[in-house]
Amino acid sequence: MNDLGSTRNPALARWVDEVAAHTQPERVHWCDGSPEEYAVLCAEMTAAGTLLALNPDTHPRCYLHRSHPDDVARVEHLTFVCTRHEEAAGPNNHWRDPAEMRAMMTALFAGCMRHRTLYVIPYCMGPEGSPYARYGVELTDSPYVVANMYLMTRMGAAARRQIEAGAQYVRGIHSTGTLDPARRYIVHFPESREIMSFGSGYGGNALLGKKCHALRIASWQAHEEGWLAEHMLLMGVESPDGEVHYIAGAFPSACGKTNLAMLVPPAAYRGWKIHTLGDDIVWLHPGDDGRLWAINPEAGFFGVAPGTGKRTNPNAVAMLHHDTIFTNSALTADGRPWWEGLDEGEPAVDWQGRPYTPGSGPAAHPNSRFTVSIRQCPSYSPRAEDPAGVPLSAILFGGRRAALAPLVLEAEDFTHGVLLGAAMASETTAAATGEVGIVRRDPMAMQPFCGYHFGDYWAHWLDIGRRLSRPPGIYQVNWFRKDDAGRFLWPGFGDNLRVLEWIVGRCRKTAEARTTPAGRVPAPGALNVHGLDLPAGTLERLLHIEPAAWRRECSAISLHLAHYGLRVPEDLHDKLEAIRRALPPD
């Protein structure tokens, strides 16, 4: 049954044969990850109607894929972590008994690939040759998944050779099934490094190297092996004197993570450069030098399209004009992709292929995506392929708070920084939920992705910190503070470099800070606002710590931590209590 190659790894060959016998595909294709293979796949999908070729003059080798309307996003309520003991998964995960779930998934996969091709995708997460790289093999019946994995990971012959040489690998099985929402499950078995995904073709549910492997399975593996798998961007900030400081940052959705990773310096920052190494996932390893070293396990972007425009993220727009797969975007009359916020063109056809009428709702799906190699980003840094990774100077924890959190807050030590991450929160917007200002906690932006109990996860962070003699500084940032009329106080986007400059200055011990009960903020005159048209008093308001509001926040954080029970480290409770005691009375 095997077609176009096999493997010298007996265990891998046996597993593929067993899955093929169970799912009954028409043929088995071992992917080599070559550009020729990718081109053939795209041509076959175009002929079959799975992909639509876009305007070859404006978007050469670009394609549009339209998902089934019931299959357009991750399905967190159908995503499970199956460990032997339920407590290990924690209240932050949906748990099922692994034996029962494995039996159910095995039944779903029976004969599901008849008349289809089973694609074998060996892939590498992380720079090839890196001691921090990890490997996986995804078996799928979706050529769309293969094409996206080609752009998102280092897949193919090189990864296969490493596995044949003895590298351990995560085993993933995926089938679109019949795309029935009632038969859709994304299941993780972290103890045996396995993933099973059935009934969805959408990115996060089907590209098993991404959230499933690089976060849910990897976070469990990192806990066992002494490193961290995090939902973070990775960027370098180069000052005019040529010194580069690398920063990782965790941000919940709608908080500008990708925009920050590709930031374009404002005109006032001539000589400053941003180096983009990743926008979504970072693996962090303690180094022999006492620093924390970072790699991006991915090789591409699977970015949200709406809101991406020349004003918000010009680097992203610039990289999407060739060799890109768009998913669920709209189209212009001349066959170019379009979405709300693009700032160019007009939609003629909506994301479902229907003629678009202004006023009939969004033309592009709000979760429409682009998949593209990171190398196409104008600010891409070759250090993304450095096997040693890059040393971190700082870690950012972001959020969307209208009043409480200052523009930037420096943790007084690593434990305080872990508390800031554990307490991360954003306030809902009307566009997202219909309710405004509801605070939702998303610790380290890992709420949907941590593969084990949050209490154990925070304890692991603290353990990592104790191993570092030169730990990164940890900062909370908030670009979304508002005035009494509901207007944003800070311009954001490129001007966020002003905050990064202060953070770099703190790392270099050249920028001044003022101590508050909640942490350190820029001292008067330390944050460069030259050229900004900020009304009088705005900067003071952006950096203000309101004692009464922070007392309420401390109480809310205490309840949040209590939800995770006795596994929460006492150090976090103690640090929270110290902040509460330091706040002045009314």
Side-chain angles (χ1 to χ4, degrees):
M1 183 179 291
N2 286 345
D3 185 11
L4 292 185
S6 185
T7 177
R8 293 190 297 273
N9 185 312
L12 176 57
R14 184 165 54 251
W15 175 56
V16 173
D17 286 343
E18 289 172 354
V19 171
H22 185 65
T23 58
Q24 300 179 20
E26 185 174 298
R27 60 191 285 262
V28 176
H29 176 88
W30 290 74
C31 297
D32 63 18
S34 66
E36 295 78 13
E37 178 182 66
Y38 175 77
V40 168
L41 277 173
C42 290
E44 291 176 349
M45 286 188 282
T46 302
T50 305
L51 293 183
L52 176 66
L54 301 184
N55 187 318
D57 297 323
T58 61
H59 290 76
R61 299 173 303 282
C62 288
Y63 303 91
L64 172 65
H65 172 76
R66 294 187 177 116
S67 300
H68 188 281
D70 291 328
D71 186 34
V72 292
R74 291 195 313 270
V75 284
E76 302 303 343
H77 66 294
L78 299 175
T79 300
F80 299 91
V81 171
C82 300
T83 51
R84 288 190 298 272
H85 303 289
E86 182 176 0
E87 181 68 10
N92 45 295
N93 283 303
H94 299 296
W95 179 87
R96 291 278 184 90
D97 178 83
E100 293 177 6
M101 184 58 85
R102 192 181 297 276
M104 186 189 75
M105 296 300 288
T106 299
L108 287 174
F109 277 105
C112 68
M113 296 188 188
R114 292 190 188 102
H115 311 300
R116 302 179 185 179
T117 296
L118 188 162
Y119 298 94
V120 183
I121 311 172
Y123 62 90
C124 173
M125 303 302 289
E128 292 183 5
S130 172
Y132 307 138
R134 298 293 186 272
Y135 297 88
V137 178
E138 176 171 1
L139 311 184
T140 181
D141 56 10
S142 168
Y144 169 76
V145 166
V146 180
N148 278 267
M149 288 287 283
Y150 171 82
L151 296 173
M152 287 299 305
T153 72
R154 302 157 183 88
M155 63 161 277
R160 180 167 151 186
R161 285 193 294 270
Q162 290 294 323
I163 291 170
E164 290 176 338
Q168 297 298 305
Y169 59 96
V170 171
R171 299 192 300 177
I173 308 173
H174 165 259
S175 173
T176 56
T178 59
L179 299 179
D180 180 357
R183 290 160 55 88
R184 181 174 295 159
Y185 299 92
I186 295 85
V187 185
H188 307 75
F189 303 91
E191 289 151 324
S192 57
R193 311 281 197 269
E194 293 177 270
I195 307 162
M196 294 183 177
S197 174
F198 188 88
S200 173
Y202 170 76
N205 304 330
L207 310 181
L208 301 188
K210 193 166 175 58
K211 307 295 193 189
C212 295
H213 177 170
L215 286 179
R216 296 190 188 100
I217 296 295
S219 61
W220 179 286
Q221 188 174 6
H223 184 228
E224 291 185 333
E225 298 177 358
W227 49 284
L228 294 164
E230 299 300 322
H231 186 209
M232 291 180 171
L233 62 82
L234 183 59
M235 64 189 300
V237 180
E238 182 177 347
S239 53
D241 60 9
E243 187 171 311
V244 181
H245 286 264
Y246 292 97
I247 296 173
F251 293 79
S253 62
C255 288
K257 185 163 60 123
T258 298
N259 293 346
L260 184 63
M262 303 179 193
L263 181 150
V264 175
Y269 276 71
R270 185 182 303 274
W272 287 79
K273 297 178 183 178
I274 295 298
H275 303 280
T276 303
L277 289 84
D279 80 324
D280 198 42
I281 300 176
V282 174
W283 289 352
L284 304 171
H285 294 76
D288 294 338
D289 61 355
R291 292 186 292 179
L292 203 55
W293 288 74
I295 65 167
N296 173 14
E298 300 185 299
F301 302 116
F302 183 68
V304 176
T308 302
K310 290 181 178 179
R311 183 181 70 88
T312 60
N313 195 335
N315 276 334
V317 174
M319 73 182 177
L320 301 178
H321 288 285
H322 65 95
D323 299 284
T324 303
I325 296 174
F326 298 91
T327 300
N328 297 333
S329 71
L331 285 178
T332 64
D334 60 348
R336 290 175 289 138
W338 190 92
W339 52 82
E340 281 72 15
L342 182 58
D343 303 327
E344 60 182 38
E346 296 291 339
V349 179
D350 77 3
W351 68 276
Q352 296 188 64
R354 305 170 302 193
Y356 177 71
T357 303
S360 61
H365 190 275
N367 195 37
S368 56
R369 298 278 177 156
F370 54 79
T371 315
V372 64
S373 168
I374 190 175
R375 294 176 182 269
Q376 292 184 201
C377 180
S379 55
Y380 165 73
S381 169
R383 287 295 300 272
E385 292 297 329
D386 190 330
V390 295
L392 280 192
S393 294
I395 292 173
L396 311 182
F397 291 126
R400 179 182 284 266
R401 304 299 292 268
L404 178 92
L407 176 64
V408 58
L409 181 75
E410 181 184 58
E412 62 184 27
D413 54 33
F414 198 86
T415 300
H416 184 200
V418 174
L419 177 63
L420 292 178
M424 270 177 62
S426 282
E427 294 162 1
T428 57
T429 64
T433 65
E435 297 179 285
V436 178
I438 305 300
V439 176
R440 293 185 175 174
R441 302 285 168 185
D442 188 357
M444 279 81 164
M446 285 284 283
Q447 181 66 49
F449 309 121
C450 183
Y452 63 106
H453 197 295
F454 260 147
D456 296 340
Y457 168 74
W458 298 325
H460 182 53
W461 262 84
L462 294 176
D463 287 341
I464 293 291
R466 296 184 189 103
R467 294 168 56 187
L468 303 174
S469 59
R470 302 164 64 188
I474 300 181
Y475 300 82
Q476 179 188 79
V477 296
N478 174 32
W479 320 129
F480 303 99
R481 200 150 180 170
K482 295 181 178 180
D483 63 15
D484 295 337
R487 296 181 296 252
F488 290 117
L489 293 169
W490 183 249
F493 303 114
D495 284 306
N496 291 337
L497 181 55
R498 298 172 185 271
V499 174
L500 299 184
E501 178 190 20
W502 180 76
I503 289 172
V504 167
R506 294 296 293 163
C507 297
R508 299 172 72 168
K509 298 181 171 36
T510 59
E512 297 298 322
R514 175 173 59 86
T515 299
T516 78
R520 304 184 190 100
V521 299
L527 188 67
N528 179 9
V529 294
H530 179 73
L532 288 185
D533 185 20
L534 295 181
T538 298
L539 186 58
E540 290 75 11
R541 185 166 183 174
L542 280 164
L543 300 176
H544 180 61
I545 301 295
E546 172 58 46
W550 274 86
R551 278 194 295 275
R552 292 191 295 271
E553 179 73 356
C554 286
S555 297
I557 293 171
S558 182
L559 290 173
H560 163 63
L561 297 180
H563 178 64
Y564 298 98
L566 298 177
R567 293 188 181 225
V568 176
E570 281 300 318
D571 284 354
L572 297 188
H573 291 296
D574 292 345
K575 183 63 70 173
L576 181 62
E577 183 58 28
I579 293 172
R580 191 199 314 265
R581 289 197 305 267
L583 290 166
D586 290 335

